[in-house]
Amino acid sequence: MRSGIFFCQVEENNRLNINAVAKYAANLPSVEVVREMGIHPRLDAKDLAKQIQADNLQRIVIAGDMPGYFKPVFAKAMALAGHDPLEVRLASFREHGASAAPTLERAKAIVACAVFGVPFALAVMPAETTVHQTTLIIGGGIAGIQAALEIADAGKPVCLVERFGTIGGHMAMFDKTFPTLDCAACILTPKMVSILQHEMIRLLTNSEVIAVSGSPGSYRVQIKCRARLVDVEACVACNMCSEICPVEVPSEFDAGIARRKAIYIPFPQAVPNAYLVDREHCLYVQSAGKKCGACAKKCPKECINLDQKDDFIEMEVGNIIIATGYDVLSAEDIKQYGYGMFPNVLTALEFERLTNASGPTGGKIVTKSLRLNKRSKKEEWVFDPHGEAPKNVAIIHCVGSRDQNFNSYCSRVCCMYSLKFAHLVKEKLPDANCYEFYIDMRAFGKGYEEFFERIRQEGTFVIRGRSATVSQENEKMVVTGEDIIRDKLIQFPVDMVLLAVGLIPARGTEELSRMLGLTRDEDGWFSELDYNGNPTDTERGCVFVAGMCQSPKDIPDAVAQASAVAAGVLRSISSGRGIGHRGSVTLSDIEARAKSLQAK
Amino acid sequence: MAIRVNPKIIDDLAVYGAEDVQLCYHCGNCSAVCPHADEFNVFPRKPMRNLQMGLEKKLERSLEPWLCYYCGQCSEQCPRGAEPGETMMSLRRWLTSRYDVTGLSRLFYRSWKAEMIAILVLALLTGVAFFLFGMLRGDIHVYSGPGAFLPSSAVHLFDWSMAGVLAALLFVNSLHMWRLVFGSKDGPKPNLFMYLKHLPQLPWHFLTQNRFRTCQERNGLWLIHLLLVASYLTMLVLIMFFLPTMQSGPEIRWTVHTFGYAASIGLIGATIFMLHGRLKKTRTQFQHSHKSDWLFLIMLVYVALTGVLQHIAHRAGFPVAANLVYIMHMMGVVPMLVLEVPFSKWSHLAYRPLAMYLAAVQRDALLGRSSQGGEILAPRRIA
Amino acid sequence: MSFEPRILGILCNWCSYAGADLAGTSRIHYPPNVRIIRVMCSARVDPTFVVKALVSGADGVLICGCHPGDCHYSEGNYKTMRRIPLLKKVLKDFGIEDERVRLEWISASEGQRFADIVKDMTERIRVLGPSHVACELHADPRER
Amino acid sequence: MKAKIGVYICHCGSNIAKIVDCEAVREYISTLPEVAIARTYKYMCSNPGQDLIVQDIKEHGLQRVVVAACSPRMHERTFRAALQAAGLNPYMFEMANIREQCSWVHDDPQAATEKAKALAQAAVRRVVHHEALEQMTVDMCPNTLVIGAGIAGLTATLELAEAGQKVFLLEKQDHLGGNLARVDLTAPYLDSARDLLIERITRVRSSGNIELLLNSRLQQLQGYVGNFTATLSRTGHDGPGTGKIREIQVGNVIVCTGYREFAAERVTHFGYGKLPDVITSFDFEKMLQAGRIECCDGTIPKYAAIIHCVGSRSAEFHGYCSRVCCMTALKYVHEIKSAVPSCYVSDLYIDMHAFGKGHEDFYRRTSEVKTMFLMFGKGDHPIIRSAGPKDDCKMLIEVNEQLSGELIEIPADLVILMVGMEAQEDAMETARLVNISQDKEGWFIESHPKLDPVATTTDGIFIAGTCVAPKDIPDTVAQARAAAARILARIAKGKIAVDAVYAEISDDACSGCRICNELCPYSAIEYDDKKKRSHVISAMCKACGACVAACPSGAIKGRHFTDQQILAQIEGVLR
């Protein structure tokens, strides 16, 4: 079986030494011809067919970052030359992780497997290792919670580490979820309570993983449990301490549209259902014990200890699941929409908290009104439940997404939650007008398209054409855009603008990926082992990714990925054999294995 | 009746500089942010769309590329980097080649080698012709006055005849532009009164390029461009009417020469600024430079410099050198004028004001009654 | 002292009971006239429960379930949606006013809505006055 | 014999005590005859609070416990554990919610205390009737039946097999791979679909735990979670043993029957079937695999056109979006440009759904090769007709293009219809066999899209992949592994703990009227022909109580929520 290898690159990749790989490929068995065709070569099927006939090649291997782009022309050439077009094989460096972390070894191995006609994933079987029973899950959002419950329900111990004071992640902030508009709390809080009460789950909130060492299946992990200054077992969330606390800061959980004290509980159903102290703003902590300390005195159960120190935990775990979720692009950077300049330009998370029944205005949609802040004696724009309801609301999609100046990728969930917002506005303010500015209405999931139709019938003006600017004209906020379908420029006054701001990886993803040796794609999301075949494993053995941290996705997909990761973990624990680092497999092992598989 | 789309046009336009127009996914930001777009002319997205779809007839008829003065805001905000500003610029080049009935403009835009050859041939011809003329008739040692190597009267005659030819060519092309815009059956049909009413817009825009000024904070460029136009016009007037005095004896006739010096400084300064801008890509509109832009600027600088040199040589009393530089000067002037004015970038001196004028007329025709006059910048419609 | 109606609340465990709890955790105040018992699903509410309540001195019965489509058992509330109106028709013949028995859908995040419903129902029954069934059967000494 | 009851009233710090006079409640409750001990304590849910209960049970031999404190949704499980620790059956316990539903929501102390007394008394009256219930556990057969051997079926099977569990992989066709086997490359990175399948199939064939049953169908499925009996039949037309019946024992079933592509001829204005060069996406995949992209008469197409949403997002056919065709269409553009660089490709779409990882960059890369993207309205009908003699193309597509607002004609020698996804023709039959339900479009209904995307209302039956809703390969693989995870979790526990709370039908009271049979959302009630009685399968019953309330003869007893208990509670709360 005479083979010919053609190196064709789609994109410039100076980190990989192509001709070194070519030299290696030349002396693989059955390889007659090796040709480097360069970057995005102009290939013509006819003269390729001539070459194939001249060298009488029965099998073609196209090697490159994305060889699929050149497969059709080679298949056509093979057909023209009278050979079997199915014998065109791909050696994709991108798919098998050779262009992200460009190791020459890996590229050679990929080409070798293609020549032997063996799928790379089969040939690269990392050595199996024993697996410690405990699983570490980083991130307590819906994905982390789902994975933790599925593994713990199988009777395997889990340690869930969450950086914030409570688990629940971003989903806990939402009121309704698309497309069924069922309430996020009804889904999430029962799961959070069962996390707390589950005997197999050790919950560490207010904590972060600071160091990981060891090998797959037995990682030594160092976790820093930042002092909560409140005894979680004792506190019954009676809110007495918070009433006394003199310090008021914007509440992260309410996306900054409401304020909380230095000692606070993120939200009433927080798990653990206990207060915690925000040490950056607590007067006592900042003054090293000289000032305030009122809450400790007031607490009837004396469960506040303002001198508590951080403590560090060492533990051994078998598998690590990363479910660190996402953050939102800061809307100030996108100047044309005036976020920060105009008070009533809100980001999506802020509006989620505004419409939430347990939010600062009890779910009433109001525009910000100017109120005097007693402490700072300055006039401030705040949400007052008795504020004035907006008459015209504009919702702008793709703010900072699908935009080469910010995020080039689509953040996948904004179209649907924007439609949900339009529904909430229409439902709570029947006489308000709601304008939806979109480029492509991406309602792709189960029940999404019907939801979009329902919103359209409810009277929301859906305008194709991302609005360009939000400006001020005689005291009124004005949105300017082009209505492409009706082919005219539009500009009209609005009282409130909702920005569907793009999503970016969570803060700290950079350090975590360095700590665990994980690769990330050019947008910063964690890279999966194989886009199609294995979307939740990673290059590193026994390390999995689930939910948003792998790339933006909605709740059902995040939950499905979390369960898929649970499958991987349970498989390794129940069979006692974890998969090692793929990087640890040497070229010769892969070659040997490929040869043996080819024989079968 | 359905219009046939033509996928070849977009490749055609790539030669004129529109390399990124295919990236546009029609978010509508550029039209919304463009200071000049209004309810009658929604651009730059619409022309880009017609270009993507190869609707040649619609592109030919549209005046919108001429309404864009490349302030660059759309290109900065474009999420896909489809360079709407540069696409408008390329459409202007394409329209120039479209308006030109002779087809030369199309040839020069498509292959700059052809243009170089044409320039060289023309330069040689003018050089040889002037030299022979000079040798036969005059004395190389005499620069001005009777018996001059290149007597101003002869040059005068030559200038005027050339100006006549070029004006005719430009006029024909402008007519062709008018026919394209209003010639089509289903287009708006303005009546004579509308044409007359907006006539003052022609000189107004020709002299002030007022539309360029309204490009918000990009005024800097408008001032420099205005300086360039003013200097060029003064130089033109001096050469066409005061050539003898320009070339007269050693004493300096301050009434004429001050204009001359100011104009040449203005010309050289402005072109150097433009060249520097394009080299260093200082602004959005200088990011992409088509070969025709370079050629135009280089020839302008060459002509201005040789003009100044010739004057210095004449003043410094080297008649032979002055005459030789004079010939080199003419070897630059003739190709520049013959090629640039009717066929290339310089034709915008006619097409831009004409476009503003026709747009005002078109707007009236569309409105069906004579408008209240004033700027065609109708206020944005409030929905 | 004015008449204080006594209302029995039968709430489904997954949505309305959780909503009532949320009203608690968010400290939303409502009159104390409603006393709540918990059942797994609103479909568990047997018409005899309502009759038993009215006979045992309740001036009103409030039955709450999940919003249609939200039911933890997917179709439980559809059955309640049929049973309670049918029961109210029967009770009308016994002179029980329509407003004394009420069916409401409350989701786990609608604490405020639960409180409003309790306020509204208490006022309506205070206007209606005590249930005559209770008085006749027990010759209850309580004043009108 | 008077049951000895212990009642504990919690102060919850000041949360209850601030409004409710706990001491007064304690005194009132201690006057009740059934109550042996009544105590109050600051924090009943704390460890010391629970120890109070345990000591009292041990010393005073309490038989029932009532705690008046916070909501049972918070600490019912905590206190039940305390009872269990003290050796008392955990179901001999009732909570009175005097915090969330009393002290926190009322500000009149006197009324709140009265209400607290009533709630506590109701709990006491109820707990008197509580019975000891044992958590029933059902042992579970670790084998699994996977129906459908597409990418979903193969992935789920491998997850289970490589975890050491026995799997029966059932496939009605004679080969593995399902719809993915008909695809050449995948979007957006144009990786090879063949390699992915070869890898999965090689691992399936070389695994000892998988029994491959090709050309076989599910005839019947009986039993309940953990104890299913599946009867299979071979459908192979000619192969040996056609129609052979076989019985297997399995604990769980995963349905991954995939999808069927929409029949393009149903859309008349595309002329599929009449115009030879109008082909569907799967026809084009065949061309790609054969390396011959050409029109029917063998000529190389100068113009190609791709039309999206054929049968999807349309009022007459399917309202939903089939989710994968946009990316597949962009893939075809690159494949055409690679094989026929000179071909001009135009792409007619409604909305470009490039939502996934790497999709938007792929969409941009497709724009870079100068594809002419044309957007048509959702209700619009592009019409394909053959071109005239003077046209330089075979067909012309006429459509109202939205981005330019023009009625345009597009030249095309080859038109590829992106046919959407539809439920399999035998989906109705499969659904009835495994007792799961379908939505109006024929897709199987999951028990909860967010809580439980792979489980169904019938316990033990899982669904994964495109049979649930259209989805691409990564999401299908994730769902298949999620289904496997649920089963692995159950197998790891060995037994399935069936909740002690379920309905029971007493044989003598049941009149066999069968009202309860189809009433049960989980079809957990069977009718026994011989005894002419209905019978509840306790493992499948979820204790919603719908049947208990509906039974005309009161024959069904809802354990832990019996009529007796609730009526007593009503009486107590209205004292």
Side-chain angles (χ1 to χ4, degrees), chain A residues 443 448-450 453, chain D residues 311-322 378 440-441:
Chain A
Y448 288 16
E449 188 69 25
E450 293 80 2
E453 279 314 312
Chain D
S312 309
R313 301 187 67 187
S314 90
E316 316 101 288
F317 301 107
H318 296 302
Y320 55 80
C321 151
S322 294
K378 193 172 165 195
K440 60 182 179 354
E441 300 281 358

Side-chain angles (χ1 to χ4, degrees), chain A residues 166-186:
Chain A
T166 170
I167 56 175
H170 280 104
M171 182 174 175
M173 299 168 75
F174 302 153
D175 183 19
K176 299 261 187 289
T177 55
F178 58 79
T180 51
L181 291 177
D182 49 22
C183 73
C186 304

Side-chain angles (χ1 to χ4, degrees), chain A residues 402 404 464 466 482 488, chain B residues 25 27 29 45 79 381:
Chain A
R402 297 184 66 184
Q404 62 168 17
R464 152 110 203 184
R466 181 179 78 165
E482 184 194 357
K488 56 183 172 26
Chain B
Y25 61 40
C27 68
N29 264 23
R45 188 193 66 79
R381 195 163 55 73

Side-chain angles (χ1 to χ4, degrees), chain A residues 124-203:
Chain A
V124 62
M125 268 313 163
E128 289 180 346
T129 62
T130 57
V131 177
H132 193 278
Q133 291 283 323
T134 316
T135 307
L136 172 73
I137 299 178
I138 304 172
I142 180 70
I145 289 173
Q146 178 71 17
L149 283 177
E150 296 229 3
I151 297 169
D153 285 350
K156 306 296 173 196
V158 170
C159 172
L160 179 60
V161 175
E162 164 59 44
R163 176 171 46 193
F164 195 45
T166 170
I167 56 175
H170 280 104
M171 182 174 175
M173 299 168 75
F174 302 153
D175 183 19
K176 299 261 187 289
T177 55
F178 58 79
T180 51
L181 291 177
D182 49 22
C183 73
C186 304
I187 301 162
L188 190 60
T189 32
K191 281 179 184 275
M192 288 163 63
V193 172
S194 43
I195 286 266
L196 191 68
Q197 292 168 344
H198 206 293
E199 56 286 353
M200 298 308 287
I201 298 178
R202 180 177 184 194
L203 178 60

Side-chain angles (χ1 to χ4, degrees), chain D residues 537-556:
Chain D
I537 307 162
S538 46
M540 293 180 75
C541 167
K542 287 272 182 278
C544 70
C547 57
V548 180
C551 176
S553 45
I556 308 179

Side-chain angles (χ1 to χ4, degrees), chain A residues 104-419:
Chain A
L104 201 52
E105 290 289 299
R106 173 64 61 84
K108 288 180 185 168
I110 294 169
V111 172
C113 288
V115 169
F116 290 126
V118 168
F120 181 74
L122 266 183
V124 62
M125 268 313 163
E128 289 180 346
T129 62
T130 57
V131 177
H132 193 278
Q133 291 283 323
T134 316
T135 307
L136 172 73
I137 299 178
I138 304 172
I142 180 70
I145 289 173
Q146 178 71 17
L149 283 177
E150 296 229 3
I151 297 169
D153 285 350
K156 306 296 173 196
V158 170
C159 172
L160 179 60
V161 175
E162 164 59 44
R163 176 171 46 193
F164 195 45
T166 170
I167 56 175
H170 280 104
M171 182 174 175
M173 299 168 75
F174 302 153
D175 183 19
K176 299 261 187 289
T177 55
F178 58 79
T180 51
L181 291 177
D182 49 22
C183 73
C186 304
I187 301 162
L188 190 60
T189 32
K191 281 179 184 275
M192 288 163 63
V193 172
S194 43
I195 286 266
L196 191 68
Q197 292 168 344
H198 206 293
E199 56 286 353
M200 298 308 287
I201 298 178
R202 180 177 184 194
L203 178 60
L204 296 173
T205 52
N206 222 12
S207 316
E208 268 181 300
V209 174
I210 45 173
V212 177
S213 56
S215 62
S218 51
Y219 285 110
R220 289 217 53 70
V221 179
Q222 237 197 357
I223 301 168
K224 172 181 174 192
C225 303
R226 287 199 307 278
R228 200 182 171 93
L229 306 184
V230 174
D231 173 0
V232 177
E233 300 308 321
C235 173
V236 284
C238 64
N239 199 22
M240 309 279 255
C241 51
S242 193
E243 276 147 14
I244 297 299
C245 178
V247 173
E248 229 187 37
V249 282
S251 145
E252 305 84 352
F253 182 77
D254 280 322
I257 64 170
R259 304 181 73 75
R260 63 156 169 84
K261 297 300 183 61
I263 182 164
Y264 68 105
I265 188 166
F267 63 103
Q269 295 81 24
V271 164
N273 205 260
Y275 276 63
L276 73 149
V277 177
D278 169 3
R279 300 197 312 189
E280 285 77 31
H281 296 98
C282 165
L283 299 179
Y284 182 90
V285 172
Q286 291 305 319
S287 67
K290 295 195 196 57
K291 288 211 209 78
C292 191
C295 54
K297 303 186 196 71
K298 191 75 170 64
C299 173
K301 278 193 82 182
E302 294 96 25
C303 39
I304 300 176
N305 159 13
L306 293 172
D307 304 319
Q308 188 188 9
K309 290 285 161 279
D310 300 349
D311 92 50
F312 294 85
I313 299 176
E314 274 269 332
M315 72 168 61
E316 173 144 354
V317 290
N319 295 295
I320 297 178
I321 300 175
I322 299 171
T324 46
Y326 65 94
D327 271 335
V328 180
L329 191 66
S330 85
E332 285 89 0
D333 309 344
I334 308 162
K335 295 278 177 292
Q336 68 250 38
Y337 294 117
Y339 178 79
M341 275 200 297
F342 306 120
N344 280 312
V345 175
L346 309 177
T347 66
L349 274 186
E350 287 169 4
F351 188 71
E352 283 283 359
R353 287 313 298 162
L354 183 62
T355 56
N356 195 311
S358 55
T361 67
K364 230 158 86 63
I365 299 175
V366 284
T367 51
K368 283 186 183 170
S369 21
L370 212 53
R371 286 293 178 279
L372 181 66
N373 179 326
K374 290 183 291 309
R375 280 203 174 64
S376 62
K377 299 289 176 292
K378 286 199 301 313
E379 289 261 305
E380 265 177 4
W381 287 99
V382 286
F383 282 109
D384 174 351
H386 313 296
E388 194 215 343
K391 295 270 172 312
N392 295 308
V393 179
I395 304 174
I396 305 173
H397 293 224
C398 301
V399 172
S401 293
R402 297 184 66 184
D403 190 333
Q404 62 168 17
N405 310 323
F406 299 99
N407 297 341
S408 64
Y409 52 90
C410 159
S411 298
R412 188 159 168 160
V413 292
C414 335
C415 276
M416 288 314 291
Y417 72 58
S418 300
L419 287 175

Side-chain angles (χ1 to χ4, degrees), chain B residues 106-117:
Chain B
R106 204 173 128 70
L107 173 67
F108 293 150
Y109 268 123
R110 296 181 71 75
S111 91
W112 68 283
K113 289 194 188 62
E115 191 163 10
M116 288 307 290
I117 296 160

